[in-house]
Amino acid sequence: MSRGMVLEDVVCIGRTFHEYVRMFALNEADLINQTVLDCPAGVCSFTAEAAAKGIHAVASDVAYAFTAEDLHAKGLIDLETIKEAMLPTQDRYVWTEYGNIEGLAKERMTALKTAIADRLAYPARYIEATLPHLPFSDEHFDLVLSAHFLFLYDDHFDVTFHTRSLEELLRVCRKELRIYPLVGLHGKASKSFEPCKQLAIALGHKVTIEPVPYEFLKGATSMMRIQKR
């Protein structure tokens, strides 16, 4: 890999279409006539399930530098690691939907298997890319969804990385960009949130912070919705 990335750098934890619908307050019927980018998508099954519903969806992630088989194997390992790591931190989460760690693991396993199977069957849907640079033309997608990356890993990526990534995600979308969650891993406000919000406003876009019908990490109850000017 030219960037020196190794598989151990990639965290392969996936989420399902159903979770995306609630994380981003999506109306499934409205997606049918739209082109949608999931970035970074990892081993989430949104693209696979969306395509099965007739939605034109594309997934993009640095992880696609590796084979589907390697990501599947890494996903299985990461799932066990996450299960162990969550044992002492269960109070950070809301367990209404999943019940317990095993229930969560079952959902994550479903996403992993579905995403990997779809990538093997339809590799053109899965595009390798590393933010803040995406290999798509301006306004290529009607809607861009970005989940569990920006803001969440506030301790790993600085404000400049966040603002540059935001600009790039906005560049490739025609109608709107939605980002979830708006807090860091510890449920606290991200230091990059306000600079990103102000940048989008300065660029002339409409920015709203909207509640969503999803909460797993405590405090992660809203998304940023940026409607292009």
Side-chain angles (χ1 to χ4, degrees):
M1 306 305 165
S2 60
R3 292 179 297 277
M5 185 183 69
V6 295
L7 188 55
E8 286 71 21
D9 296 333
V10 179
V11 178
C12 299
I13 299 297
R15 291 160 180 90
T16 63
F17 182 90
H18 175 65
E19 290 174 294
Y20 266 55
V21 165
R22 295 188 301 113
M23 286 190 300
F24 292 109
L26 298 171
N27 183 326
E28 186 176 326
D30 291 342
L31 297 177
I32 296 297
N33 296 317
Q34 297 198 62
T35 53
V36 186
L37 172 66
D38 179 13
C39 179
V43 292
C44 293
S45 61
F46 172 81
T47 294
E49 295 182 76
K53 296 174 183 292
I55 300 164
H56 180 71
V58 171
S60 184
D61 199 290
V62 64
Y64 304 149
F66 303 100
T67 67
E69 292 86 354
D70 284 344
L71 288 184
H72 181 253
K74 181 64 162 53
L76 295 176
I77 294 170
D78 285 353
L79 194 52
E80 292 303 314
T81 301
I82 290 296
K83 286 167 62 177
E84 292 182 16
M86 292 185 77
L87 283 172
T89 61
Q90 294 181 67
D91 60 338
R92 293 182 186 175
Y93 304 95
V94 178
W95 294 98
T96 305
E97 177 172 359
Y98 306 108
N100 52 36
I101 292 177
E102 288 302 323
L104 175 69
K106 182 178 179 180
E107 186 83 357
R108 298 290 175 261
M109 182 66 77
T110 297
L112 173 65
K113 289 182 176 180
T114 303
I116 295 300
D118 193 66
R119 187 181 170 201
L120 287 169
Y122 304 98
R125 292 177 185 159
Y126 297 84
I127 309 298
E128 179 194 351
T130 307
L131 284 170
H133 303 290
L134 298 175
F136 306 112
S137 59
D138 294 354
E139 300 188 342
H140 191 85
F141 301 94
D142 293 312
L143 172 66
V144 175
L145 305 175
S146 189
H148 294 95
F149 182 61
L150 294 180
F151 305 137
L152 188 66
Y153 294 100
D154 208 26
D155 294 337
H156 296 74
F157 301 97
D158 62 16
V159 173
T160 298
F161 175 85
H162 276 77
T163 54
R164 289 179 62 196
S165 294
L166 182 80
E167 283 188 285
E168 184 69 350
L169 291 168
L170 285 169
R171 181 187 68 79
V172 302
C173 78
R174 187 170 70 87
K175 293 181 179 179
E176 65 177 83
L177 163 66
R178 299 187 185 190
I179 302 172
Y180 174 91
L182 307 182
V183 297
L185 285 169
H186 297 288
K188 298 179 181 179
S190 164
K191 64 179 179 291
S192 298
F193 169 75
E194 193 62 29
C196 284
K197 177 183 175 183
Q198 293 305 318
L199 172 62
I201 292 172
L203 291 172
H205 308 310
K206 179 182 178 181
V207 181
T208 53
I209 307 305
E210 302 183 10
V212 297
Y214 180 87
E215 183 184 16
F216 178 51
L217 176 64
K218 288 182 178 177
T221 58
S222 57
M223 68 169 174
M224 177 184 285
R225 181 182 184 189
I226 304 175
Q227 294 170 279
K228 295 286 292 285
R229 61 179 177 181

